[in-house]
Amino acid sequence: MVHAVGDLGGFKFMFVRMLAAHLIWTVGLHGDNLFGVIFGSAALFESVSGRLDFIGFYNIFVIFGGCGSALCLWLAVLLGSKDRYGRRVAILATPFILFNIPEILIFGLPVIMNRLLLVPFFLVPIANFAAGYLAIQSGLIEFPAPAPTWTTPVFLNIYLATDGNVFAVLVQFVSIATGTLIYMPFVRKFSYMQSSSGQLRRLERNLSLTSNLESINSRKFHKAQMTIIDSHMEVTKIIDLLEGRRLEVYYQPKVDPVSMTSSQFEALLRIHMSDGVVKGPFFLETLEMAGLASTIDLWVCRAVKQDIGKWREVNFEPRISINLHPDTISDRRYLDKIVDLLAGMPIDFEILERGSVNSEVAIENLHFLRDKGFKIALDDFGSGFAGLDALTRLPLDMVKIDKSLLDAAATDAGRVVYETALQICRRLGIDSVTEGVETRDQLQLAVAFGVTYVQGYLTGRPIPGIGLEYFAVPEALRADALGAGAQESTSKIIAKA
């Protein structure tokens, strides 16, 4: 005999409760518990069919494995995800999901505040609710026993509540399979977005690059994920931020301290924020952890090439130095692309002596760049990244003395160290650049010790490509050579930079 089925009003209440509870879950709170605290739970114990109440219906037919029908998500991750981090979270959550405890999976992937997974997070419970409602309305399932506790695993819970009704177990199986299929395309998309190659593709697309190169070191991306769940969100936010041509290359002069002119400039990345403020590349460390630094290097090289083309049209061809990340230097595929872009152009590459730059592959690649006509500069010498042994191992044309050595030269011991560093460069036939020159006293000290070039706010702030010719004219003649209007315009650019 089929027992009476609960009225439609009760199902409407449960449906609204389900949506509200899942909405609360999306902000990181326990939706079911909070809804019960606010609105009470008396209605949950009204009869649906036989001895099955509404909370039993919810547990047996709607939320397999917990909120969002987490069991379906768990299966979709294990079956369809290629993201190692996501699969590890799913494996870790296994004993909990089987007993309908979803928190590890929900917060570990995460589902919370995840725009890709929130759609199936609502859609699957809605589909389950509809299937359960139709199954009960069909009259083919009786509930002679109350639903067991919410921690009872799927299949067993409905088997016990229906006294072994195979059709009821089949309904659960079909609902779980359907829910898994609904989750699957979203999980695969999320897996792609989580992977370093997926982030690489999005970054290349936002920067209008078509290099078709895989990330050199995907484990860095997973290291970022394992460090903190928010790292993926941060990378995604940064890549979204770079969309819409917000990046621009600025140039800071390396000035001859005797003539106070410059024909050499360092390319520095800048980003235009939505409020009009121009900022430095605050995002580089995050992208570096994600294994995406080489893509940024490639974009800078392309931008510099475009600027050189514009300068050549007005018979101005400065020498430009570009910073290359250690990952780029270690990857011949990226270097081949860069060489093809910049062949025949007056380019130096600045490197930091750290990490993979010390490898045989990296050193071989540096020789490759020099053989192709590019010069190599060692950046931040004296900062702790670069030691004296780098001067003997690396093929160098220029050494950039870190600002810390110049600042230390205010003391007697510091002056000895700073002067010695410049003497070593001269003895090795390597040009020297002193970074961070901000005062006249520092400039005079650098000149006295024979530095080749100086770089700092005193001699020139970073500015856009327009106006660089300003620095090629001797200081005393700049106004006459460029015209007062041109000098005033350039000064405004410098002031804003």
Side-chain angles (χ1 to χ4, degrees), residues 115-116 190 193-194 199 202 206 221 230-243 286-287 290 292:
R115 61 185 180 182
L116 284 175
F190 179 62
M193 298 288 285
Q194 285 281 85
Q199 295 285 14
R202 291 184 62 235
N206 284 356
F221 180 76
D230 287 343
S231 63
H232 165 67
M233 297 181 180
E234 184 67 19
V235 172
T236 300
K237 182 172 67 175
I238 288 172
I239 293 176
D240 290 341
L241 179 65
L242 299 183
E243 188 173 10
T286 301
L287 293 184
L292 300 173

Side-chain angles (χ1 to χ4, degrees), residues 265-404:
F265 300 84
E266 179 181 1
L268 299 170
L269 197 58
R270 294 293 183 263
I271 180 169
H272 293 267
M273 306 302 292
S274 57
D275 58 2
V277 175
V278 179
K279 292 186 176 182
F282 60 88
F283 49 82
L284 287 184
E285 182 177 355
T286 301
L287 293 184
E288 176 182 344
M289 291 179 65
L292 300 173
S294 297
T295 304
I296 294 293
D297 287 352
L298 190 59
W299 184 91
V300 171
C301 290
R302 191 186 66 171
V304 169
K305 177 182 179 179
Q306 292 174 346
D307 285 340
I308 289 177
K310 295 175 184 177
W311 295 326
R312 283 177 170 175
E313 292 176 359
V314 294
N315 297 318
F316 178 63
E317 190 167 358
R319 189 166 196 91
I320 304 298
S321 62
I322 300 173
N323 292 276
L324 290 185
H325 189 270
D327 285 355
T328 306
I329 297 168
S330 299
D331 192 331
R332 189 61 170 266
R333 297 169 299 170
Y334 274 103
L335 291 184
D336 285 340
K337 190 77 173 179
I338 289 171
V339 167
D340 289 341
L341 273 173
L342 302 176
M345 295 186 176
I347 297 293
D348 300 344
F349 291 116
E350 295 190 13
I351 64 171
L352 286 174
E353 194 253 337
R354 65 175 188 181
S356 56
V357 170
N358 293 309
S359 69
E360 292 184 6
V361 171
I363 295 175
E364 179 181 338
N365 286 341
L366 291 177
H367 283 286
F368 165 73
L369 289 175
R370 288 190 84 196
D371 292 342
K372 293 296 182 179
F374 303 103
K375 292 186 177 182
I376 306 298
L378 179 64
D379 200 8
D380 294 342
F381 181 77
S383 66
F385 287 117
L388 288 174
D389 62 325
L391 302 181
T392 63
R393 290 184 295 100
L394 303 178
L396 300 174
D397 302 284
M398 178 180 291
V399 169
K400 302 188 72 175
I401 309 297
D402 188 72
K403 182 180 185 300
S404 61

Side-chain angles (χ1 to χ4, degrees), residues 13 17 20-21 23-25 27 29-44:
F13 170 77
R17 179 188 182 278
L23 185 62
I24 295 171
W25 271 107
V27 295
L29 301 176
H30 196 297
D32 298 283
N33 289 349
L34 185 58
F35 189 93
V37 170
I38 297 175
F39 296 101
S41 57
L44 299 179

Side-chain angles (χ1 to χ4, degrees), residues 1-291:
M1 176 182 176
V2 178
H3 296 274
V5 177
D7 62 22
L8 186 60
F11 280 106
K12 288 181 178 178
F13 170 77
M14 281 304 300
F15 187 78
V16 172
R17 179 188 182 278
M18 176 190 71
L19 293 180
H22 280 73
L23 185 62
I24 295 171
W25 271 107
T26 63
V27 295
L29 301 176
H30 196 297
D32 298 283
N33 289 349
L34 185 58
F35 189 93
V37 170
I38 297 175
F39 296 101
S41 57
L44 299 179
F45 302 102
E46 294 180 4
S47 176
V48 174
S49 176
R51 300 185 66 183
L52 180 70
D53 53 21
F54 278 108
I55 189 62
F57 167 82
Y58 187 65
N59 292 334
I60 287 177
F61 286 104
V62 180
I63 53 168
F64 310 119
C67 63
S69 194
L71 178 66
C72 300
L73 172 60
W74 174 76
L75 286 170
V77 171
L78 291 180
L79 296 175
S81 176
K82 295 182 179 180
D83 172 36
R84 287 181 295 175
Y85 172 77
R87 292 175 63 85
R88 287 172 184 168
V89 171
I91 292 171
L92 179 64
T94 297
F96 301 93
I97 289 294
L98 296 180
F99 292 96
N100 305 310
I101 302 172
E103 280 81 355
I104 290 179
L105 187 65
I106 296 301
F107 290 100
L109 283 179
V111 175
I112 307 306
M113 304 301 288
N114 186 323
R115 61 185 180 182
L116 284 175
L117 296 181
L118 285 183
V119 174
F121 183 75
F122 281 92
L123 188 58
V124 172
I126 291 173
N128 292 344
F129 192 100
Y133 175 77
L134 293 175
I136 289 179
Q137 292 293 335
S138 71
L140 298 177
I141 302 177
E142 296 183 10
F143 293 91
T149 177
W150 63 271
T151 57
T152 306
V154 294
F155 303 136
L156 179 61
N157 57 9
I158 201 167
Y159 184 86
L160 294 175
T162 61
D163 197 19
N165 188 315
V166 176
F167 176 74
V169 176
L170 181 62
V171 169
Q172 259 196 353
F173 177 82
V174 172
S175 293
I176 292 171
T178 302
T180 303
L181 291 176
I182 292 173
Y183 264 114
M184 191 70 75
F186 295 93
V187 166
R188 285 175 174 167
K189 178 67 173 177
F190 179 62
S191 172
Y192 175 76
M193 298 288 285
Q194 285 281 85
S195 69
S196 57
S197 60
Q199 295 285 14
L200 176 65
R201 292 292 170 263
R202 291 184 62 235
L203 182 59
E204 287 179 344
R205 184 172 65 251
N206 284 356
L207 298 181
S208 301
L209 290 174
T210 56
S211 63
N212 296 320
L213 294 172
E214 291 296 326
S215 178
I216 175 178
N217 198 352
S218 62
R219 65 179 179 272
K220 290 188 177 181
F221 180 76
H222 294 291
K223 178 182 178 182
Q225 291 177 309
M226 295 298 289
T227 301
I228 182 170
I229 293 172
D230 287 343
S231 63
H232 165 67
M233 297 181 180
E234 184 67 19
V235 172
T236 300
K237 182 172 67 175
I238 288 172
I239 293 176
D240 290 341
L241 179 65
L242 299 183
E243 188 173 10
R245 301 185 182 278
R246 290 187 173 184
L247 290 182
E248 184 179 2
V249 176
Y250 276 40
Y251 299 90
Q252 186 172 28
K254 300 175 185 176
V255 175
D256 182 330
V258 178
S259 68
M260 293 303 292
T261 63
S262 176
S263 60
Q264 299 193 30
F265 300 84
E266 179 181 1
L268 299 170
L269 197 58
R270 294 293 183 263
I271 180 169
H272 293 267
M273 306 302 292
S274 57
D275 58 2
V277 175
V278 179
K279 292 186 176 182
F282 60 88
F283 49 82
L284 287 184
E285 182 177 355
T286 301
L287 293 184
E288 176 182 344
M289 291 179 65

